Amino acid sequence: VASLIIIFANFSDIGLAFTLIIDGAFSPMAGLGGLVGVLIVGFQRAAFSNEAGAGSAAIAHSAVRTKYPASEGVVALLEPFIDTVVICTMTALVIIFFNINGTDPQSVFDYTAEHGSSVILKATELPISGVDLTSLAFDSVIPHFSYVLTIAIVLFAFSTMISWSYYGLQSWKYLFGKGKTADLVYKVLFLLFVVIGAAATLDAVIKFSDAMILALVFPNMIGLLFLFPRVKKEMKRYLDAISIKKEAIQDGAVDITKHM
């Protein structure tokens, strides 16, 4: 909601913002300055954001009750679109507006490849990125919104720990079997990593997370190749069921549940 407020407040600059994004992505400087590196960072952040290809989301979706597994797969397709395409684009626009319309020198920055994903504030000549840059951008239009953002980040972090602990526990049970001892061992290990992660630097945590997600992606993608015929079969069964239901509705059938 906050992003939309800022976007509509700067609606006249949306065209310029997207132009800057496209020019920055496809400019000769971007190509010569490390296109491969930018792609790698992009894939890392995308996988970190929506977990697409890691196989973790399937653990959550497999817990639902449905006659057609493909229907849950269609629902799962919405997640990376909403999370990465919609939400991340809105956040990016807020940050770009912060740079375009900044009257305060603290809000004007240069992009740089020397500090990874950071930008250089012109006022201080210091690199800034991530949550700090986002907080400044939101605060520039909605005063003190950084406090709300902090609460949101804490809630996101907490919910992430809960969901990933569930994913890990299900995988642990699959590998080592169900039982109180196995569950207790996993929970102790998980809590130890929570403490280690809190004590380590953010950069170290992100790099470790990227490495672990990469370790998940390779076997998962291989498994998907083997399961592709099964997925195709389930998708066809689901689409056929939808067609039958539509025909039943068009024919004015009173009870169409038998078709499903």
Side-chain angles (χ1 to χ4, degrees), residues 11-259:
F11 196 78
S12 59
D13 292 322
I14 285 183
L16 175 59
F18 277 110
T19 300
L20 289 172
I21 292 173
I22 295 171
D23 289 346
F26 298 101
S27 66
M29 181 178 67
L32 298 174
L35 179 61
V36 175
V38 172
L39 284 173
I40 291 173
V41 173
F43 282 126
Q44 287 174 339
R45 298 284 66 78
F48 197 83
S49 173
N50 57 49
E51 303 166 29
S56 55
I59 299 174
H61 288 287
S62 65
V64 304
R65 291 184 178 181
T66 177
K67 290 180 65 177
Y68 300 98
S71 66
E72 192 64 21
V74 173
V75 173
L77 288 173
L78 289 172
E79 295 173 5
F81 175 76
I82 295 173
D83 184 14
T84 303
V85 176
V86 177
I87 302 298
C88 290
T89 299
M90 289 196 300
T91 306
L93 288 173
V94 171
I95 293 173
I96 292 172
F97 292 149
F98 176 59
N99 193 20
I100 292 175
N101 300 322
T103 55
D104 183 355
Q106 282 283 98
S107 66
V108 181
F109 56 79
D110 287 325
Y111 300 95
T112 175
E114 297 177 4
H115 298 278
S117 59
S118 301
V119 300
I120 302 297
L121 285 177
K122 290 185 177 180
T124 61
E125 296 297 324
L126 295 174
I128 187 172
S129 64
V131 177
D132 295 329
L133 179 60
T134 308
S135 296
L136 286 176
F138 277 98
D139 272 346
S140 66
V141 179
I142 307 175
H144 308 300
F145 188 80
S146 56
Y147 295 106
V148 179
L149 189 62
T150 301
I151 295 172
I153 292 168
V154 170
L155 292 175
F156 276 126
F158 187 67
S159 63
T160 300
M161 287 194 294
I162 293 174
S163 58
W164 275 95
S165 67
Y166 174 75
Y167 297 158
L169 182 60
Q170 298 306 310
S171 302
W172 185 273
K173 287 180 178 180
Y174 180 81
L175 292 173
F176 301 105
K178 297 180 180 179
K180 291 184 178 180
T181 303
D183 288 1
L184 182 62
V185 171
Y186 169 79
K187 290 173 182 177
V188 170
L189 288 173
F190 184 84
L191 292 175
L192 285 175
F193 272 96
V194 170
V195 175
I196 293 172
T201 62
L202 179 61
D203 184 61
V205 172
I206 290 176
K207 287 181 178 179
F208 179 77
S209 300
D210 287 338
M212 293 299 100
I213 290 175
L214 182 66
L216 286 173
V217 168
F218 276 109
N220 183 63
M221 296 304 291
I222 294 171
L224 289 176
L225 290 175
F226 284 111
L227 289 172
F228 179 75
R230 178 69 181 272
V231 173
K232 184 178 179 181
K233 180 181 177 181
E234 289 292 341
M235 191 65 187
K236 184 178 183 303
R237 190 167 75 93
Y238 176 56
L239 294 176
D240 289 344
I242 292 177
S243 299
I244 293 172
K245 185 176 181 179
K246 286 182 178 179
E247 290 175 3
I249 294 173
Q250 291 172 356
D251 293 339
V254 178
D255 184 13
I256 62 172
T257 55
K258 61 182 180 180
H259 295 287

